[in-house]
C-alpha cells in the first residue's frame, strides 16, 4: 500500500511524460517556441502531463462548452480544445495580445480555429459578459492568482450540474503551506483553497500534479 504521492525527480517526470503524455510535434514546437521567444515567462505553461490530463478529462466528461482563464501561448487551450466533443467550443480569456498571438498561430496550425474563441481583456470584466445561467461543462483557471476567487464566484453559478472547474497552481511550488507568505499570490491561494473546501456548491479534490490542480464538480 502507498499512502504518499511520490516526489518526482526530473528523470521520473521524464518517464511519466514518455509513458502516457508524450507531446506531439505541434505541442513540442509550441513549447520550444515559448521557451525561445519568452524565456522569462515560459514557466507559466502547463506541464506536458497536465496538458494530456486536460485532454483526457475533457473527453471523458463529454465537454461541449468550456472556458479558460489564462491562455498565454496556448498549450492548455490546445489540450482542452482537442478533447471537446463534436461541435464543442472553448472560449479563452486573457489580457495579453502578445502572448495570445502565439496561441492564435498554433490554433490555426492545429486546425482548431472553429472551436476556439479568444476574448482579450481583464477576465474579471470579460467573464461577466457570459450568459449568467448554468451553461458551462468545464472551466480551467490559470491566470493572476489574486483574481482566482473572483473568477470562481463568476464561474460556479455558470456551471451545469456535474460541470468541472479545474484550478492550476494550488500548491504554489510548495509555498502554500508557508505560515506567512510574502507573495500576495500565495496568500490569495491560501484563502482560495479554504473557500473551495468550504464551498458546498461543489465537491472537490486537490491533486498533486505539476504545481497542484484542484478539480471541483458542481453539485
Ligand atoms: C500561467 S499563464 C497561463 C498559462 C496557460 N494556461 C498555458 O498552459 O500556457 C497566465 C496567463 O494569465 C493572463 N492573465 C494575467 N492576468 C489576467 C487577467 N486579469 N485577466 C485575464 N488574463 C490574465 C496572462 O496574460 C497569462 O497569459
Amino acid at each position: 500500500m502507498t499512502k504518499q504521492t511520490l516526489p518526482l525527480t526530473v528523470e521520473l517526470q521524464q518517464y511519466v511524460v514518455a509513458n502516457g503524455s508524450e507531446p506531439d510535434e505541434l505541442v513540442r514546437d509550441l513549447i520550444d517556441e515559448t521557451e525561445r521567444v519568452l524565456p522569462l515567462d515560459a514557466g507559466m505553461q502547463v506541464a506536458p502531463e497536465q496538458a494530456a490530463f486536460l485532454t483526457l478529462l475533457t473527453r471523458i466528461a463529454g465537454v461541449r462548452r468550456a472556458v479558460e482563464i489564462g491562455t498565454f501561448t496556448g498549450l492548455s487551450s490546445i489540450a482542452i480544445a482537442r478533447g471537446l466533443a463534436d461541435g464543442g467550443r472553448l472560449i479563452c480569456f486573457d489580457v495579453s495580445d502578445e502572448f495570445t498571438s502565439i496561441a492564435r498561430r498554433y490554433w490555426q496550425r492545429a486546425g482548431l480555429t472553429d472551436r476556439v474563441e479568444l476574448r482579450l481583456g481583464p477576465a474579471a470584466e470579460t467573464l461577466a459578459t457570459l450568459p449568467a445561467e448554468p451553461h458551462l461543462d468545464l472551466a480551467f483557471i490559470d491566470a493572476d492568482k489574486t483574481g482566482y476567487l473572483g473568477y470562481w464566484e463568476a464561474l460556479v453559478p455558470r456551471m451545469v450540474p456535474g460541470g468541472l472547474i479545474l484550478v492550476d497552481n494550488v500548491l504554489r511550488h510548495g509555498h502554500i503551506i508557508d505560515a506567512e507568505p510574502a507573495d500576495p499570490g500565495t496568500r490569495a491561494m491560501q484563502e482560495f483553497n479554504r473557500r473551495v473546501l468550504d464551498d458546498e456548491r461543489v465537491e472537490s479534490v486537490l491533486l498533486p500534479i505539476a504545481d497542484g490542480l484542484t478539480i471541483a464538480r458542481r453539485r
Side-chain angles (χ1 to χ4, degrees):
M1 191 162 79
T2 306
K3 289 193 174 175
Q4 209 182 352
T5 300
L6 274 181
L8 285 192
T9 58
V10 171
E11 292 77 16
L12 256 184
Q13 196 229 1
Q14 285 167 352
Y15 180 89
V16 167
V17 172
N19 289 270
S21 21
E22 189 84 89
D24 63 9
E25 189 185 343
L26 179 136
V27 167
R28 273 201 310 275
D29 286 352
L30 173 57
I31 292 170
D32 290 348
E33 179 170 347
T34 303
E35 280 169 3
R36 198 175 61 251
V37 179
L38 298 164
L40 299 180
D41 299 306
M44 295 203 292
Q45 236 171 8
V46 291
E49 66 272 30
Q50 201 176 356
F53 185 52
L54 287 173
T55 304
L56 192 63
L57 207 53
T58 305
R59 212 186 303 285
I60 291 169
V63 172
R64 297 181 62 85
R65 289 195 178 224
V67 296
E68 169 182 85
I69 327 295
T71 295
F72 190 44
T73 58
L75 180 51
S76 53
S77 62
I78 289 170
I80 295 168
R82 282 178 162 175
L84 289 171
D86 283 350
R89 302 265 305 163
L90 169 68
I91 304 179
C92 294
F93 298 90
D94 202 288
V95 272
S96 170
D97 190 37
E98 181 199 356
F99 294 159
T100 56
S101 65
I102 297 176
R104 283 197 300 268
R105 214 161 11 85
Y106 279 86
W107 295 336
Q108 184 92 40
R109 185 175 148 191
L112 295 170
T113 48
D114 58 333
R115 292 191 217 173
V116 184
E117 179 190 333
L118 174 65
R119 300 204 186 159
L120 276 181
E125 293 165 26
T126 47
L127 267 182
T129 63
L130 289 173
E133 70 271 9
H135 66 288
L136 297 173
D137 303 309
L138 183 142
F140 179 52
I141 307 177
D142 187 19
D144 52 318
K145 309 310 161 199
T146 52
Y148 272 32
L149 256 185
Y151 306 148
W152 177 264
E153 289 304 331
L155 289 168
V156 172
R158 292 177 162 92
M159 305 308 297
V160 299
L164 301 176
I165 305 184
L166 315 177
V167 187
D168 197 22
N169 304 116
V170 294
L171 293 180
R172 300 295 289 159
H173 301 281
H175 291 293
I176 199 69
I177 57 172
D178 290 356
E180 289 179 21
D183 169 43
T186 302
R187 290 201 301 276
M189 289 307 298
Q190 289 179 332
E191 170 67 7
F192 177 83
N193 288 344
R194 273 192 296 273
R195 292 278 290 270
V196 171
L197 193 62
D198 291 342
D199 195 327
E200 294 190 346
R201 298 171 296 178
V202 299
E203 55 183 316
S204 65
V205 60
L206 194 165
L207 293 180
I209 176 172
D211 190 25
L213 179 76
T214 285
I215 305 182
R217 179 182 180 274
R218 181 81 161 98
R219 292 186 201 275

